[in-house]
Amino acid sequence: MTISIKSAADIEGMRVAGRLTSEVLDMLAEHVKPGVTTNQLDQLAHDLIVHEQKAIPAPLNYAPPGHRPYPKSICASVNHQVCHGIPNDKPLKEGDIVNLDITVIKDGWHGDSSRMFIVGEGSMVAKRLCLLTHEAMWKGIVKVRAGARLGDIGHAIQTFAENAGLSVVREFCGHGIGRGFHEEPQVLHYGRPGTLEELKAGMTITIEPMLNAGRREIKEGPDGWAIVTKDRSLSAQWEHTVLVTETGYEVLTLSAGTPKPPAFVTG
Ligand code: MF3
Ligand code: CO
Ligand code: CO
């Protein structure tokens, strides 16, 4: 396995791409309301990325093996959609939960981040799922440092999620990121401490757990991209792009509107 190590200049490029990615989410946050369609959100994101940021929306026409080219600039996964939801003309309604996943390429570098949004006033169950999934992502992030292993991250997320009565989707994972969208290694959101690849300073990875309120099984939807829970239970996901440092981590997908880390991170 060859995992790229970023130089100081590479990291500066990743910081810029990460900030732009997060700023797209900041902009979208103001538009998530009952009645808006995910196609409208896609158009807003596309225009900001292309015309103002002078950057590239990585999902548009992205075509990994076995997939038709992805047709939109963002992913918008609603309620029981787990990930890779294709934006459409259906209006969001009060109580929906939606994950917006943004990947921006700037000067060849990728930033990848997603957040959950609750449309209007959500149910207790929806709010709890979104909050706990944010915390689960952070349980993984705080394990990141040179010398830690990928299994430490997966184990922290899995333990936290399952103790909360949520299930961890196994078929999709975080990833190395840099000049490529999806680089080595795979970053599983479950596992055993002390196993798998050792992290080294200068690696950049995403941590992006998908947690279901019901069972962990998923299936592919009819459009060839969207993934849904088999039992139609609600699913949530949060994602940051993170740099491994000697002493810990640096979150690269940061901007003015980034939701605050939970108290166990900030003390
Ligand atoms: N942004 C997703 C991730 O976190 C990947 C989306 S691929 C797409 O890895 F083609 F659906 F956009
Ligand atoms: Co990702
Ligand atoms: Co993403």
Side-chain angles (χ1 to χ4, degrees), residues 22-80:
S22 193
E23 286 175 352
V24 175
L25 287 164
D26 292 354
M27 180 278 290
L28 290 174
E30 305 190 11
H31 294 273
V32 178
K33 296 185 189 124
V36 76
T37 69
T38 49
N39 263 344
Q40 289 172 321
L41 299 175
D42 178 73
Q43 189 65 52
L44 286 163
H46 180 93
D47 288 348
L48 176 62
I49 295 166
V50 172
H51 300 301
E52 296 189 40
Q53 297 181 338
K54 313 284 186 206
I56 299 167
L60 189 59
N61 298 316
Y62 184 59
H67 287 275
R68 67 175 172 119
Y70 189 79
K72 300 282 174 171
S73 295
I74 70 171
C75 295
S77 304
V78 180
N79 294 337
H80 71 294

Side-chain angles (χ1 to χ4, degrees), residues 84 101-103 111-114 173-177 181-182 205-208 237 239-241:
H84 306 166
D101 193 342
I102 307 300
T103 312
D112 191 7
S113 185
S114 80
C173 55
H175 47 92
I177 182 166
F181 191 165
H182 294 108
I205 59 172
T206 73
I207 298 181
E208 49 179 301
Q237 178 177 30
E239 176 176 25
H240 269 313
T241 299

Side-chain angles (χ1 to χ4, degrees), residues 32-38 41 76-81 88-100 115-127 129-130 232 234-236:
V32 178
K33 296 185 189 124
V36 76
T37 69
T38 49
L41 299 175
S77 304
V78 180
N79 294 337
H80 71 294
Q81 289 184 327
N88 61 31
D89 284 322
K90 188 174 165 194
L92 293 174
K93 60 178 193 308
E94 181 89 19
D96 283 345
I97 63 171
V98 57
N99 173 273
L100 300 178
R115 301 182 197 161
M116 292 305 297
F117 298 90
I118 302 178
V119 182
E121 190 56 44
S123 69
M124 283 298 298
V125 171
K127 283 191 251 194
L129 175 66
C130 295
R232 295 187 66 87
L234 287 181
S235 187

Side-chain angles (χ1 to χ4, degrees), residues 133-150:
T133 305
H134 184 246
E135 294 192 3
M137 171 186 70
W138 274 103
K139 286 284 176 185
I141 291 173
V142 297
K143 292 292 174 190
V144 172
R145 59 180 294 153
R149 287 181 178 268
L150 286 174

